[in-house]
């Protein structure tokens, strides 16, 4: 089952990456995105990770050591694991399962109103007042 979206909180990201270099933060978001795309932890092979992220293996070792020191990732059974990524994947799978369950019952559960529409649709429908002619 492919995870199509995860929740992302900019404030939590900024707080959680405070003190990282741009290079460390760049690798962190790339590894998280790859983890979300795969829907599982990545293989902890430095050479494969370096290739996946388009960096030299020496750079991968250095940056990954720092991310591990910051407790953003750890290795378990040959996998590179991020607790936060694991949590977000579980939440996304739960949302997907709930949607499938609701769909099998015919859609939205009783008592819940249908959303009013997309934000873009609402923005297009918003009418701006026309400017008043100048008065002399």
């Amino acid at each position: 089952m492919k995870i199509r979206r995860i929740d992302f909180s900019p404030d939590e990201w900024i707080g959680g990456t405070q003190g990282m270099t741009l290079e460390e933060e760049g690798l962190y978001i790339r590894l998280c995105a790859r983890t979300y795309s795969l829907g599982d932890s990545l293989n902890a092979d430095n050479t494969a990770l370096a290739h996946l992220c388009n960096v030299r293996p020496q750079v991968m070792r250095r940056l990954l050591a720092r991310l591990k020191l910051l407790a953003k990732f750890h290795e378990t059974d040959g996998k590179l694991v991020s607790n936060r990524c694991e949590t977000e994947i579980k939440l996304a799978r739960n949302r997907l399962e709930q949607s499938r369950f609701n769909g099998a019952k015919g859609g939205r559960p009783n008592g819940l109103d249908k959303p009013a529409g997309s934000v873009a649709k609402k923005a297009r429908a918003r009418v701006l007042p026309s400017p008043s002619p100048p008065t002399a």
Side-chain angles (χ1 to χ4, degrees), residues 114-122:
K114 186 174 182 179
S118 72
V119 174
K121 190 184 289 185
K122 289 178 186 177

Side-chain angles (χ1 to χ4, degrees), residues 13-112:
W13 179 265
I14 291 167
T17 57
Q18 199 72 20
M20 283 186 185
T21 66
L22 187 58
E23 193 176 32
E24 292 164 350
E25 188 176 351
L27 180 62
Y28 183 34
I29 190 66
R30 181 160 298 177
L31 290 175
C32 287
R34 294 286 187 170
T35 300
Y36 294 138
S37 178
L38 183 61
D40 196 7
S41 299
L42 302 169
N43 288 326
D45 175 26
N46 273 337
T47 304
L49 288 171
H51 181 72
L52 187 67
C53 295
N54 199 29
V55 297
R56 293 186 330 270
Q58 303 90 322
V59 173
M60 177 58 72
R61 277 193 294 278
R62 176 177 54 83
L63 295 174
L64 198 51
R66 175 83 169 128
L67 292 178
K68 289 176 182 177
L69 183 66
L70 294 170
K72 300 301 179 184
F73 288 97
H74 63 276
E75 283 187 40
T76 303
D77 298 327
K79 295 285 193 173
L80 187 63
V81 179
S82 165
N83 292 337
R84 179 60 184 260
C85 290
E86 296 291 316
T87 299
E88 292 299 332
I89 288 170
K90 285 178 187 170
L91 290 171
R93 283 188 176 137
N94 289 344
R95 265 194 315 271
L96 185 56
E97 287 302 318
Q98 187 63 49
S99 293
R100 283 183 180 180
F101 178 75
N102 290 342
K105 292 185 349 184
R108 191 172 314 284
N110 289 336
L112 293 180

Side-chain angles (χ1 to χ4, degrees), residues 113-132:
D113 293 331
K114 186 174 182 179
S118 72
V119 174
K121 190 184 289 185
K122 289 178 186 177
R124 285 191 300 270
R126 190 176 304 136
V127 178
L128 299 175
S130 55
S132 302

